[in-house]
Every structure is written in C-alpha cells, then in structure tokens.
C-alpha cells in the first residue's frame, strides 16, 4: 500500500508530543482532524518498532527517508518493555483486525503456525472474518474486521488534545484560509503535481498531541521519522 504521510517527531515531553505530518501523497488533500488520527500514528509507530521495520534510510536525494535513533533490536526491546504493550496490540487489532493463523484447509493453528488447535475448528466457524488473508512466512492467516466504534471511543479517552498548525509549503493557503474551512482544504492545490518536489518542499502541518498517560508515548522519541498509510480509518 502506498504511504500517505511522513510523520516526524520533534519532541516528547511527559504526555505531550510535538511533530510534523508531511502530506506526501498528492491524492490526499489534508491531514485528518479527528483524534483517531494521532492515536493511529502512535499505534503505527509501535507496530513498526515491534516488527523491526523502522531504521535509518539514506536521504541524500530530496531530504526524506525514515529515521530512528536506535537499532532495530533496541526498538524491539523498547516495545517489549512498554507498560502498555498489551493495550497497543489491542488498539492495532481495533484498527486493522486480528490475525488468525490457519492451515491451508482453514483450520485454526496455534501461534507457532504449525500445531492444529483442538478441538479442530475452522476459523470461519469461530470468527467474523473481513476477507483479508495471506501468508507471512510462518503460516497462512485470515483477518477479523476492525472495530471503528471501540477505536473511536478509545481515542476519545486517550487523546486529551490534538492541535494542527496552519500548513507550510502550501502557497495558496493563507493562515486565515486554513482556519476558516479546514474540512475543505487541499494542500496540493496550486502545486504542480508532476513536479518532483524534495522532502523539504512538500506540504506539511505541525501537530501537538497530548495523551492521558505518558505510557502511550513511551516508544516515540525525538528524531524519529517514518512513512505511514494510517489515516485513522478502521478496516
């Protein structure tokens, strides 16, 4: 799936994160305003680190590239030691659904991806399935749907404030226009979509996020930057 935003963390102080969200996909008009969006970013950062997918990339061309001031192994150690790690797993499942391991015949498997669970039952007879499926190198799997209602409620409880600055690198938008009708903004309007813009020229907004518990920011640090497909939408 094509990345939509690039997220940069500028500082983390207690329960507050300051950062930037670059709108790197011209098909996306703006940064989402709902509190589910910053929570989905925190969950996405957790997933990247927990799976060892975030590391430094060469940004010699255009100034982009992902950044993380620790090694992949250190990132995994951080997520494994998080006080709220189990809650992040649940939040991830609320967004994208739960991964259910199955054999080729659809029968439920244990986490090792090999052992058939007893009593033998097919996933479709036990779970509501979303239609998503695949093979991840361990076993075949199917997916349950996410839960938008519960995720929205968790976002309301966790994200106590979320502020977005006026957009930068969007020459047609004055600060007044950005504040007047934020739902109708298109940050790419007026820019040449075929132009190969460098990272520092791409439209972005600064974000200020405060959460109810500093544990939700335990895995994010100043200087990290990653690409994401998250929009706050639940699958």
């Amino acid at each position: 799936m094509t990345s939509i935003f690039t997220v940069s963390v500028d500082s983390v102080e207690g329960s507050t994160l300051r950062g930037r969200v670059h709108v790197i996909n011209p098909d996306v008009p703006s940064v989402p305003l709902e509190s589910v969006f910053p929570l989905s970013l925190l969950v996405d950062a957790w997933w990247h680190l927990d799976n060892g997918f975030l590391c430094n990339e060469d940004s010699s061309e255009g100034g982009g590239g992902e950044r993380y001031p620790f090694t992949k192994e250190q990132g995994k150690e951080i997520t494994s030691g998080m006080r709220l790690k189990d809650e992040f797993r649940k939040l991830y499942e609320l967004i994208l659904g739960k991964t259910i391991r199955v054999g080729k015949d659809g029968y439920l498997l244990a986490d090792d991806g090999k052992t058939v669970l007893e009593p033998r039952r097919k996933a479709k007879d036990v779970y509501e399935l979303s239609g998503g499926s695949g093979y991840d190198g361990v076993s075949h799997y199917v997916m349950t749907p996410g839960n938008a209602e519960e995720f929205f409620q968790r976002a309301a409880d966790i994200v106590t404030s979320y502020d977005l600055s006026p957009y930068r690198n969007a020459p047609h938008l004055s600060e007044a226009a950005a504040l007047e009708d934020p739902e109708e903004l298109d940050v790419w309007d007026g820019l040449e979509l075929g132009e190969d813009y460098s990272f520092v020229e791409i439209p972005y907004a600064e974000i200020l996020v405060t959460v109810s518990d500093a544990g939700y920011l335990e895995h994010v640090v100043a200087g990290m930057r990653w690409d994401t497909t998250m929009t706050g939408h639940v699958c």
Side-chain angles (χ1 to χ4, degrees):
M1 185 180 294
T2 303
S3 295
I4 298 173
F5 304 108
T6 296
V7 186
S8 302
V9 177
D10 294 326
S11 69
V12 179
E13 298 178 3
S15 299
T16 299
L17 176 151
R18 294 178 183 273
R20 287 159 289 148
V21 178
H22 280 77
V23 185
I24 61 175
N25 189 332
D27 293 331
V28 178
S30 60
V31 177
L33 300 173
E34 299 80 12
S35 61
V36 290
F37 177 62
L39 182 57
S40 70
L41 296 183
L42 295 178
V43 174
D44 192 48
W46 167 84
W47 181 84
H48 273 79
L49 294 174
D50 198 55
N51 287 276
F53 292 152
L54 187 57
C55 61
N56 288 335
E57 292 183 347
D58 180 14
S59 63
S60 57
E61 303 222 356
E66 297 191 319
R67 288 285 176 269
Y68 188 59
F70 303 110
T71 65
K72 292 182 180 181
E73 291 72 22
Q74 288 172 318
K76 289 183 177 182
E77 289 176 5
I78 289 172
T79 56
S80 66
M82 289 174 62
R83 175 166 53 87
L84 299 177
K85 62 182 179 182
D86 292 338
E87 182 163 2
F88 270 93
R89 290 191 182 93
K90 175 62 176 176
L91 290 170
Y92 182 83
E93 291 174 0
L94 290 178
I95 300 172
L96 293 170
K98 184 175 182 179
T99 300
I100 308 297
R101 298 202 173 279
V102 295
K104 291 182 179 180
D105 51 8
Y107 283 96
L108 294 171
L109 300 179
D111 290 340
D112 62 8
K114 299 177 181 178
T115 306
V116 178
L117 294 177
E118 297 291 345
R120 290 168 59 90
R121 295 174 298 173
K122 289 194 173 184
K124 66 179 183 179
D125 297 329
V126 179
Y127 297 97
E128 177 187 357
L129 302 179
S130 66
S133 63
Y135 181 84
D136 62 2
V138 177
S139 73
H140 293 278
Y141 65 86
V142 291
M143 302 291 297
T144 66
N147 187 323
E149 182 177 353
E150 186 173 350
F151 185 64
F152 272 66
Q153 183 57 57
R154 294 300 298 133
D157 294 337
I158 293 169
V159 180
T160 59
S161 68
Y162 166 45
D163 295 308
L164 204 67
S165 77
Y167 287 94
R168 320 298 185 194
N169 296 338
H172 68 293
L173 291 178
S174 67
E175 181 169 337
L179 295 175
E180 181 180 342
D181 198 359
E183 295 288 353
E184 299 298 326
L185 294 181
D186 184 344
V187 299
W188 284 92
D189 187 22
L191 297 175
E192 295 293 335
L193 298 186
E195 186 74 20
D196 187 16
Y197 291 101
S198 69
F199 183 72
V200 296
E201 296 174 308
I202 293 173
Y204 73 93
E206 297 168 356
I207 59 172
L208 178 63
V209 182
T210 301
V211 292
S212 58
D213 186 323
Y216 290 107
L217 303 181
E218 197 173 352
H219 59 304
V220 289
V221 296
M224 67 186 294
R225 183 170 71 207
W226 74 99
D227 295 335
T228 183
T229 60
M230 290 289 187
T231 63
H233 175 72
V234 170
C235 294

